[in-house]
Amino acid sequence: MADPYTRIAFTDGVRRLQEHYGTRIEHHDRERGDEQPARLGAREARFIAARDTFFMATVSETGWPYVQHRGGPPGFLKVLGATTLGYADFRGNLQYVSMGNLGHDGRVALFLIDFRQKLRLKVLGHARFVDLGQASTELVQQIDLGNYFAEVERAVLIEVAAFEWNCPRHITPRYTGDEVRALVEPLQARIAELERQLAARDRDGEVPGG
């Protein structure tokens, strides 16, 4: 079955470069057969649900690409169905460049990275936004983030056209504050226990290691 990602990403110019650099043969099989739909599976859903940030590229009316960071609590980008993503768009710098671009061209590219595990997922799709005042009760509930502090202005819905797990090479491992704390806490607990043992030996007149 043909991978929909190749239909979108492998343009004639891309194929010519693959031929030039000798990689065409390893990609050719991905384009053979009838195209299969891009349906997010359990692996993609788990990965997306754990992310607290992603980057989204849009295209301006003048043809310029524009990349914007989106962040929130883990899972703020929600899998609403096998082919649909959605997120609450917060009030930001008030430039509205991404939203303006979507009004002209709904095509988007999302880039999601797990720095700790050196994993990244690319998603291509068609996005539209719905101002919160015009959103249905069901949609508002779907993108709800509980008591998260940010002011939500609109919902953004993305129909997934294709996705691909990307090469992990050259990703420098990085850790969030919560991840660092989770790694350090057992060490801190062990240090505290050893300090208690040493203090007890000092009180009892024992010589540590004796």
Side-chain angles (χ1 to χ4, degrees), residues 51-95:
R51 305 279 67 77
D52 60 4
T53 189
F54 68 90
F55 299 90
M56 184 175 75
T58 57
V59 183
S60 76
E61 295 171 74
T62 54
W64 280 97
Y66 180 77
V67 179
Q68 180 67 51
H69 166 262
R70 287 291 181 263
F76 80 103
L77 177 62
K78 298 180 180 295
V79 178
L80 303 181
T83 61
T84 307
L85 299 173
Y87 68 92
D89 196 41
F90 309 135
R91 186 176 178 85
N93 61 11
L94 308 182
Q95 293 183 1

Side-chain angles (χ1 to χ4, degrees), residues 7-78:
R7 177 181 58 83
I8 296 173
F10 292 1
T11 61
D12 289 342
V14 170
R15 293 188 185 98
R16 285 193 294 271
L17 285 172
Q18 291 173 351
E19 292 280 4
H20 176 76
Y21 289 107
T23 65
R24 181 70 190 136
I25 190 170
E26 64 188 76
H27 296 301
H28 182 261
D29 286 346
R30 297 178 60 187
E31 300 179 71
R32 300 178 64 181
D34 297 329
E35 185 177 316
Q36 59 182 348
R39 298 179 65 84
L40 300 169
R43 181 190 181 196
E44 289 77 32
R46 288 193 300 270
F47 184 81
I48 293 169
R51 305 279 67 77
D52 60 4
T53 189
F54 68 90
F55 299 90
M56 184 175 75
T58 57
V59 183
S60 76
E61 295 171 74
T62 54
W64 280 97
Y66 180 77
V67 179
Q68 180 67 51
H69 166 262
R70 287 291 181 263
F76 80 103
L77 177 62
K78 298 180 180 295

